[in-house]
Each structure stands twice: as C-alpha cells, then as structure tokens.
Amino acid sequence: MRSSVEIYTLATGKSRVVWQTEQLVEAPNWSPDGQSLVINGDGLLYRLPLAGGEPALIDTGFARTCNNDHGISPDGQTIVISDKTEFGASTIYTLPAIGGQPKQVTQNRPSYWHGWSPDGKTLAYCGIRDQVFDIYTIPVDGGEETRLTFGEGRNDGPDYSADGEWIYFNSSRTGRMQIWRIRPDGSDVTRITDSAYGDWFPHPSPDGRHLLVISYDGDVFDHPRDLDVRLRLMDPDGGNARTLFELFGGQGTINVPNWSPDGTEFAFVRYEPVVGD
C-alpha cells in the first residue's frame, strides 16, 4: 500500500503531493509555524518538512507504539501523543515538540487524544470506560477528567472550534454516525449533520469559516481503512455541505487536526494499492 501525503488548497480546489512512501503513514498535523507536518508510522512520529526532504524521526522516549491520535499545541512547543507501550492500552502523554521523554496526562484508559483547546490548557479526547465510548476533557498537566457525554451511542473524535466555544465530535446516538457539537461545560448538545453518510472526525478551520469531515458510505460501521470515502466541507453549523473529492482512504486519512494555520489548506493521506510485477 502506498501512502501519499497531500495538501488540498481551498482556493484552487486542487491537491498536491508532498511525499509518498510504500509504508503506512497516517494523520498529518500541520505545525503552527506552517513549516512542517507531523505524521505517524510503525508506532513512531515523524516531522515532514514542507520545503522538501525526507521525514525526520521525533524522539518519543519510551513511547514506541504511538497511534494516529497525536497533535501539536497552539504555541508549537508541545506534542500530545496516544501510546500503549507503558500500560498496554492507549494513554495520553505530552512531550516537547523537539522530542523528549513523555509525561503522562491521563490515568484512565484507553484514552485517545483528538483536540487542543485554543488556549493550550485543555485536551479533548475519546475515552472508553466499561466498553462505552464518550467525550472527555482534562487539563494539559493532568488531573481529574471531565466527562461531557454519557453513553448516548458511540462518541468519538472531539475537536475544538477556533474560538473555544464548541467541541465538535461524531456520535452514533441517532443510529448512523453523524457530527454534533457541545459546549466545553457539556451543555447545548447540537446536531450538525443529517446526511446519508457515516460522518467522522470533524475539524473546524482555524479561521472559523469551515468544518471538514470524512464521510463513509452509510452502511459502513466504524472508521476502517482502505475504502472509498469522501472529504466534505461545510459551514460550522452544517450548512452548504459539499463533497470536495473522493479518495481511497479512511482510517489514517484525517483522524486529527490537519488544517494549515491560516485555514486556506488542509493535509490528508491518500492510500493506493501497489501492484506487483
């Protein structure tokens, strides 16, 4: 399988290839300075320079089984990871953006990070407690987690709006996975999409103008890899939803925040089967 890391530009409606490899890489985060992407592969993190060149390994210390739920703090100084090396189940840690020894944030597990608050003080994540998938937040330095949803279907993929007023997430509470949003205090739960698709991983743009989601066919359960999917763009309230393009992808394509700092572009991974001789 070939992984193609690409960037889509809203103004032109076209994408360009940044880097390709015949290894599995996933989930590009755009650095706040606009100079690089962070991706994961084989349980490790890499920094991919946008000016050209090969990805450079990021030192994650003992954490050697990082999954695709990782991200960069708003000030660019810290990376958050989700890793199972230490406890055998996904746990959230932070480490310096230049690399270093991870610091544990969550005590309860499994926990899968998905969003930074705009002020960099709070993390939003999906936690599985007694087989129930819900949305939680926690201070970036650790402490007690705050539960925002309470078992109304499966809840996953939380990401903050640019102003910090909302946390967007996907939920199956009405049957099919759709996009919802909730206030950081757990109030005002609002449905955003009402589509025939299975909508996952909502990412509000940094300029507050757009919401990007990945959409599966309506009969697909969960968010598997290696399927025909579509990337859809809409207003933050769900209006003017439209398909930007279809691709072969799914898991790993846009699991975590992937917008450029100015909100004019986003990064994603496309997958292509490699045909042998």
Side-chain angles (χ1 to χ4, degrees):
M1 188 68 66
R2 179 180 295 113
S3 301
S4 179
V5 182
E6 303 185 22
I7 290 175
Y8 181 91
T9 303
L10 296 185
T12 64
K14 297 180 179 179
S15 63
R16 65 185 187 275
V17 176
V18 177
W19 183 67
Q20 288 185 328
T21 177
E22 292 189 7
Q23 297 178 333
L24 175 67
V25 298
E26 302 176 303
N29 309 125
W30 210 307
S31 64
D33 64 7
Q35 300 302 305
S36 62
L37 302 175
V38 170
I39 56 177
N40 67 283
D42 297 322
L44 303 172
L45 294 189
Y46 298 86
R47 183 173 289 104
L48 176 64
L50 292 178
E54 293 296 303
L57 179 67
I58 299 172
D59 177 16
T60 55
F62 66 79
R64 311 293 288 180
T65 52
C66 301
N67 59 41
N68 55 32
D69 298 321
H70 49 75
I72 310 169
S73 63
D75 65 5
Q77 299 301 303
T78 305
I79 292 178
V80 62
I81 61 173
S82 305
D83 179 85
K84 65 178 183 179
T85 304
E86 190 172 21
F87 299 106
S90 184
T91 304
I92 297 173
Y93 303 85
T94 58
L95 61 142
I98 61 173
Q101 197 67 13
K103 174 185 175 183
Q104 185 177 345
V105 178
T106 55
Q107 299 298 320
N108 298 327
R109 60 189 71 89
S111 296
Y112 302 89
W113 177 86
H114 279 278
W116 281 93
S117 63
D119 63 8
K121 296 180 179 179
T122 307
L123 305 177
Y125 56 99
C126 169
I128 306 175
R129 311 290 182 255
D130 298 322
Q131 305 301 312
V132 178
F133 291 71
D134 274 310
I135 305 303
Y136 294 83
T137 60
I138 196 169
V140 69
D141 292 326
E144 293 296 321
E145 63 182 13
T146 298
R147 186 176 182 178
L148 300 186
T149 61
F150 293 87
E152 310 93 335
R154 175 174 176 173
N155 303 283
D156 203 344
D159 195 2
Y160 281 88
S161 62
D163 59 9
E165 293 294 317
W166 294 101
I167 296 174
Y168 287 80
F169 66 103
N170 46 272
S171 176
S172 65
R173 63 186 62 201
T174 56
R176 182 179 293 121
M177 191 66 77
Q178 298 285 274
I179 305 303
W180 296 69
R181 67 184 181 186
I182 190 170
R183 298 287 186 187
D185 65 1
S187 64
D188 295 342
V189 182
T190 305
R191 185 172 180 172
I192 300 300
T193 63
D194 186 7
S195 74
Y197 302 120
D199 295 328
W200 283 81
F201 302 133
H203 300 309
S205 62
D207 59 10
R209 299 178 57 193
H210 306 293
L211 183 68
L212 178 70
V213 305
I214 186 169
S215 298
Y216 290 83
D217 290 345
D219 60 352
V220 175
F221 178 76
D222 212 332
H223 54 98
R225 68 175 71 256
D226 301 342
L227 290 177
D228 292 322
V229 294
R230 55 206 56 80
L231 294 185
R232 298 200 300 137
L233 195 71
M234 60 195 70
D235 297 340
D237 62 1
N240 297 314
R242 65 238 187 238
T243 296
L244 297 176
F245 57 93
E246 298 184 357
L247 73 159
F248 190 69
Q251 169 79 318
T253 293
I254 63 162
N255 289 56
V256 285
N258 60 329
W259 283 96
S260 65
D262 62 4
T264 63
E265 300 179 302
F266 61 82
F268 65 97
V269 183
R270 184 194 306 269
Y271 301 101
E272 304 171 73
V274 177
V275 179
D277 294 333

